[in-house]
Amino acid sequence: MKLYSDDELAEILDQEIFHQISQAADHLGVECYVVGGYVRDIFLERPSNDIDVVVVGSGISVAEELKRMLGRKAHLSVFKNFGTAQVKFRQKGVEHEVEFVGARRESYSHDSRKPIVEDGTLEDDQNRRDFTINAMAICLNCERFGELVDPFNGLADLEDGIIATPLDPEITFSDDPLRMMRCIRFATQLNFMIEDETFEALERMADRIKIVSGERIKDELNKIILAVHPSIGFELLQRSGLLQIILPELAALDIVEQKNGRAHKNNFYHTLEVLENVCKNDDSSLYLRWAALLHDVGKPRSKRWDPAVGWTFHNHNAIGAKMVPQIFRRLSLPMDMKMKYVQKLVDLHMRPIAIADDIVTDSAVRRLLNDAGDDIDDLMTLCEADITSKNEVRKKIFLENFRMVREKLADLKEKDYKRLLQPVIDGNEIMELFHLKPSREVGTLKQCLKDAVLDNRVANEREPLMALLMEKAREMKLVQ
């Protein structure tokens, strides 16, 4: 973070776009300020092209004036119902997006996030902001160009790494409960601490999150997941009580049960460790991170006590995979191939571990590649991240076996594995050969050929496969 004087802020804002906004506001005789994230990011020395402007008066009028000044190269969108406008344009090779809004005061009813809005002063507008670090404003009018207006000491909070609300946090969160998610999201992205009073309000007001749509919660969750260290956010969500409401399946992992002196590990903190391990890969996608987050959600439902071996979680992968669509639907996450991808990785995440815990056979690797398909590399990344054992010797053995699995996978992929693992005799030919309609018998014959190819018992060629097929058909009494 870097501190700037008003003169230095004026130099930073000495850009054509800000002078044009200034001219538009001065021409109309209204006060005009750049506010929110753009101001915060100046001090954090982070790039930002999305500019939010508050006008003490009509924000739409200033937007229209700016559009007139910029001419045909700018695109103006007006949202009269919300009293806002947006101007998009390209200047010196940079895409700009400027949001204009009139300064306003807001009041809320208990059962809605939609405020009753009235015209207000700059002070009113700063009062309604979510956090002190987002409530700072820099004047753009010519006479005061670059002057910082910081009534809540947001600059000090930014310097100290603190998330706090401008007014009573309980009122702030009650008025708009989504701010609770934003509070944790900013703490995660910026690696800031949440002020004690603000965090205590999070705990007291957590139940208010129920009036927020899954769509809006999902947006904040995705931003937390995509942070450099998303585990910070999920630990805060759990501690505040929000996670039990928005993602109870994950919150349920935060337990350690003991019986006869034997305890299982805390699978919630194990999951956060796996998520952090996945995030070490710079190219880890949003949905690979979702798969890491959900890979063990089936454990609470599968947990059993076996006196002979202790705590078991048999089939937790399959149980978890069945839970994925319910979670995605509730959180308005996409129910398309992205969901199926997460579901597949949750379902298969034990397979490479089982292979690496034993002799790494060609047959097991071929079956794994057949089932994982194009997602095999992501599956291996997830499974390697899942090795969080504190036993360094055991961990080293697993990772060495994973290296062998990867070598065998690479060898198969070089040989065009899709063609190699798909029998050259397909279901249509089987039905034609034995005069069958789609049926269980056809499926049995297809699986027989598939198993033989995957286990490398028979070369994937017509003659040996046809011999095996006829042998199986005779066994099933389909031919004499």
Side-chain angles (χ1 to χ4, degrees), residues 301-333:
R301 298 186 187 182
S302 64
K303 184 167 68 173
R304 300 289 183 272
W305 169 257
D306 182 338
V309 296
W311 294 103
T312 66
F313 302 93
H314 295 311
N315 293 323
H316 75 270
N317 55 309
I319 292 169
K322 289 179 181 176
M323 294 165 67
V324 169
Q326 304 161 19
I327 293 169
F328 267 52
R329 189 173 294 108
R330 190 178 69 243
L331 291 174
S332 300
L333 285 157

Side-chain angles (χ1 to χ4, degrees), residues 83-363:
T84 64
Q86 181 188 77
V87 179
K88 287 184 178 181
F89 60 98
R90 187 176 183 84
Q91 201 169 66
K92 295 181 180 178
V94 178
E95 293 286 345
H96 290 289
E97 190 173 297
V98 186
E99 298 273 355
F100 290 87
V101 64
R104 61 195 187 186
R105 69 167 61 95
E106 297 176 344
S107 57
Y108 292 79
S109 61
H110 187 74
D111 60 350
S112 173
R113 288 183 56 241
K114 293 181 180 178
I116 300 166
V117 178
E118 301 173 275
D119 291 341
T121 63
L122 175 65
E123 183 182 0
D124 290 328
D125 201 86
Q126 288 176 299
N127 284 343
R128 74 177 181 84
R129 297 277 161 176
D130 50 8
F131 308 110
T132 60
I133 62 172
N134 293 335
M136 297 182 288
I138 301 174
C139 188
L140 294 179
N141 295 97
C142 183
E143 288 188 3
R144 297 168 54 209
F145 192 83
E147 179 184 312
L148 178 67
V149 183
D150 181 18
F152 304 109
N153 294 315
L155 198 55
D157 286 347
L158 206 57
E159 192 173 14
D160 293 338
I162 290 173
I163 305 292
T165 58
L167 303 178
D168 182 337
E170 194 161 310
I171 295 173
T172 297
F173 295 147
S174 180
D175 282 350
D176 184 356
L178 185 64
R179 288 170 176 163
M180 295 188 287
M181 295 292 299
R182 286 169 57 82
C183 178
I184 289 174
R185 189 249 292 181
F186 281 121
T188 307
Q189 290 177 326
L190 302 176
N191 197 18
F192 278 18
M193 297 290 291
I194 300 174
E195 179 204 41
D196 288 346
E197 186 181 348
T198 302
F199 191 82
E200 288 163 9
L202 276 178
E203 294 177 294
R204 289 193 301 272
M205 304 305 296
D207 205 53
R208 287 282 286 155
I209 200 69
K210 290 176 181 176
I211 73 167
V212 181
S213 70
E215 180 80 23
R216 299 306 299 273
I217 290 172
K218 172 260 295 181
D219 291 341
E220 294 300 323
L221 277 177
N222 282 344
K223 290 173 184 176
I224 291 170
I225 290 173
L226 288 171
V228 176
H229 294 293
S231 64
I232 294 171
F234 284 99
E235 185 172 2
L236 289 170
L237 286 169
Q238 179 70 341
R239 282 176 49 212
S240 65
L242 284 164
L243 196 65
Q244 289 91 322
I245 299 168
I246 62 176
L247 201 45
E249 299 89 346
L250 184 62
L253 293 172
D254 190 9
I255 187 172
V256 175
E257 201 168 346
Q258 190 167 357
K259 197 165 185 176
N260 295 350
R262 301 176 75 172
H264 61 77
K265 65 186 174 187
N266 185 306
N267 287 301
F268 176 73
Y269 287 97
H270 162 73
T271 293
L272 297 190
E273 193 174 348
V274 174
L275 179 59
E276 286 291 322
N277 287 342
V278 163
C279 294
K280 290 175 184 175
N281 291 277
D282 293 336
D283 58 348
S284 60
S285 69
L286 171 62
Y287 292 99
L288 175 55
R289 294 180 181 210
W290 266 108
L293 193 67
L294 300 180
H295 80 283
D296 273 351
V297 289
K299 280 192 169 179
R301 298 186 187 182
S302 64
K303 184 167 68 173
R304 300 289 183 272
W305 169 257
D306 182 338
V309 296
W311 294 103
T312 66
F313 302 93
H314 295 311
N315 293 323
H316 75 270
N317 55 309
I319 292 169
K322 289 179 181 176
M323 294 165 67
V324 169
Q326 304 161 19
I327 293 169
F328 267 52
R329 189 173 294 108
R330 190 178 69 243
L331 291 174
S332 300
L333 285 157
M335 299 298 293
D336 55 12
M337 295 307 295
K338 297 181 180 71
M339 184 277 290
K340 292 184 182 298
Y341 163 88
V342 173
Q343 190 175 31
K344 180 199 282 188
L345 263 56
V346 171
D347 191 23
L348 294 178
H349 82 270
M350 295 299 293
R351 287 273 295 281
I353 293 172
I355 293 172
D357 200 24
D358 203 346
I359 298 171
V360 181
T361 66
D362 288 345
S363 172

Side-chain angles (χ1 to χ4, degrees), residues 8-141:
E8 288 171 324
L9 289 174
E11 286 183 27
I12 291 169
L13 296 180
D14 186 18
Q15 303 172 41
E16 188 176 1
I17 176 57
F18 291 112
H19 288 299
Q20 288 168 326
I21 295 171
S22 177
Q23 290 168 27
D26 284 346
H27 177 75
L28 296 174
V30 294
E31 291 180 44
C32 185
Y33 302 83
V34 58
V35 296
Y38 193 91
V39 178
R40 179 197 67 228
D41 288 344
I42 286 175
F43 293 101
L44 291 176
E45 300 181 275
R46 300 198 314 180
S48 178
N49 291 325
D50 294 342
I51 303 166
D52 289 325
V53 173
V54 163
V55 177
V56 183
S58 171
I60 292 174
S61 296
V62 177
E64 290 172 338
E65 178 66 13
L66 178 64
K67 159 65 178 158
R68 185 191 66 75
M69 292 169 60
L70 293 171
R72 295 176 60 185
K73 64 182 179 181
H75 176 74
L76 172 67
S77 301
V78 175
F79 310 96
K80 287 188 177 179
N81 289 346
F82 299 97
T84 64
Q86 181 188 77
V87 179
K88 287 184 178 181
F89 60 98
R90 187 176 183 84
Q91 201 169 66
K92 295 181 180 178
V94 178
E95 293 286 345
H96 290 289
E97 190 173 297
V98 186
E99 298 273 355
F100 290 87
V101 64
R104 61 195 187 186
R105 69 167 61 95
E106 297 176 344
S107 57
Y108 292 79
S109 61
H110 187 74
D111 60 350
S112 173
R113 288 183 56 241
K114 293 181 180 178
I116 300 166
V117 178
E118 301 173 275
D119 291 341
T121 63
L122 175 65
E123 183 182 0
D124 290 328
D125 201 86
Q126 288 176 299
N127 284 343
R128 74 177 181 84
R129 297 277 161 176
D130 50 8
F131 308 110
T132 60
I133 62 172
N134 293 335
M136 297 182 288
I138 301 174
C139 188
L140 294 179
N141 295 97

